Amino acid sequence: RRQGAEALEALSAKLALAERQNAGVEALKAQKAKVAALSEQADAMTQEAARLDLARKAAELQPIGENAVREARRRDEYDKGRAEAEESMKAAQAALDAARAAREFAAEALKVKPALEERLAVLRQALPLFAEHRQAEAAAIKAQAALQAANDARAQAQNAYRAAFDGYIRDQAGILADTLTEGRPCPVCGSIEHPAPAPHIAKAPTRRQVNDAARARDAADADAMKAAEAVSRWNHEVERLALALTEQAGGADAATEAACRDEAEALKASAEALQAAWDRTDADFHTSEKKLSAAEAGLKQRTAQAAAQTALAAEALQTWKDALRDAGFDSREAFTSARLPGPELKQRQAALDRYRRDAEAARVLLASLSDQWEGQSSADTEALSKELAERREAQSALETREASLDRRVGLNRRALRALRAGAGRVAAAEENYQILEDLRLTLIGRVPGAQKIPFENYILQYYFKRVIGEANRRLRGMTESRYRLCYKSATAGTAVAGLGLDVYDAYTGKVRDAQTLSGGESFVASLALALGFADVAQGRGGGVRLDTLFIDEGFGTLDDEALERAVTMLEGLAGSSRLVGIVSHVGLLRQRIDRRVAVTRDRDGGSHISIE
């Protein structure tokens, strides 16, 4: 196989040399044709170089020409700005003249404002008098009615006094008649005969009643006098106000009041309008003055800028003419015809440079190829290629046979190594199995003679201890610090350890099994554990909140004090944005919980739900 490979390599080298010779001969022939074609373009390329030289000069002068055009346009713009500034100044002057005329007119009109304000002041003084006049009239009418009532009461009091006095006197005559005796003179008339003695009056008034009637009469007289004085006072006030209104407004009736009010509003509006007109025209006048000053300053600035720009434009134009002359352009038309667009100039220059590079490279390559292949002819490579193919086919068959043998040897060697390695792995696997079996028994808590704690319980101990800590925080408040839950580290007998629970009783100072708690105590401890679990889960839940807690029964096993503490604790939870639901039949809970879902049994055996 090696001899065949060496012969094959020598034949391949001979064929490659023949192919290289043929390629060189063909390349020399093609390069001669290329050089001839490039030589035919030499005159055109010389003219193109001259044309591009003029275009480059024109491109160099173009910024100077553009600057001249730009300065001329800027001069035109400044001239336009100066003309606009002149127009603005004229408009500002016209606006100032109009503002001055309007201001003078407003000042003349403002002269009547004091008279308007004086009349307005008179009306403002008179307008409140109309209300006072109406109030006085109403008070006079009311006082007149009171006087009439007082006179009526006085007449009644006088009549009552006269009746009482007359009855009392007539009854006194009867009393005197009781003292008369025949033959003795009457103390009144002196007669010794008494044919018709005066009789007594039934229910005659007493002296006290007469005196009371006299006092009532005197009081009624005083009230009537006060009412008369009030009538006189209010009538005088009405006359005074009517006289004042007549002097100030021309009358005291409602129509006059309305007219005065309308006039006051009109006067106020007129005065305000006059003042506003003056303020506005005065402000417009001062604004127009400022605008005129600004327009004059702007015109002065624009005039100076236009003059300066005119000089700059003339200088730029002369610079442009001098540059054309120095560059050899006798006219602007010659410059314009020599210009080429930037992309076209670059493209044509690139084509010219490429032609020059190609021509030089072609001449150099032609000289190199001539040195190597000039005078040589093409070699016959067909016979060499056929022989090389036959040699390659034979060499391939040998290599295939060798590869097959190599694969079989390799397979046998790998099988031997695998058998040797497998025997060692079996022994190692048996040793490793024993180690893993010990680890498995340890994980499931079945190592003989050791504490039986499954791996799951061992992991859960971490969270169980935290739950106990949170539960004790709740349990202290519900048991008044009597009980505290404790983690049970050891388990008697063969039971599985790891999650045991004891309870410490502060009353006895001893630790005992949690199963020794009573029913109510177990419920309280279970509730504390549930809340502790919720706190731990919420703290480890990545932002998860346990917002709802449901408790089904268990409250019936608590005494009143324990129930009160448990409910107080749950109310605290509900106040911290948690929903606490309780399922119970305990009556105290019905009294303490104001939001309830009540389930009531019907007579027909069904039930219904109500929200209380």
Side-chain angles (χ1 to χ4, degrees), residues 358-382:
D358 291 345
E360 180 64 22
R363 285 193 294 271
V364 172
L365 181 59
L366 178 60
S368 176
L369 292 174
S370 297
D371 292 342
Q372 295 181 27
W373 309 111
E374 186 68 38
Q376 297 188 22
S377 59
S378 299
D380 184 7
T381 59
E382 184 176 355

Side-chain angles (χ1 to χ4, degrees), residues 159-177 198-214:
N159 292 334
Y161 171 72
R162 291 192 189 98
F165 182 75
D166 290 345
Y168 176 76
I169 294 300
R170 287 197 301 272
D171 189 63
Q172 291 299 314
I175 295 172
L176 184 60
H200 282 283
I201 297 177
K203 298 181 181 179
T206 63
R207 184 63 185 177
R208 182 176 181 179
Q209 290 176 334
V210 173
N211 292 336
D212 291 341

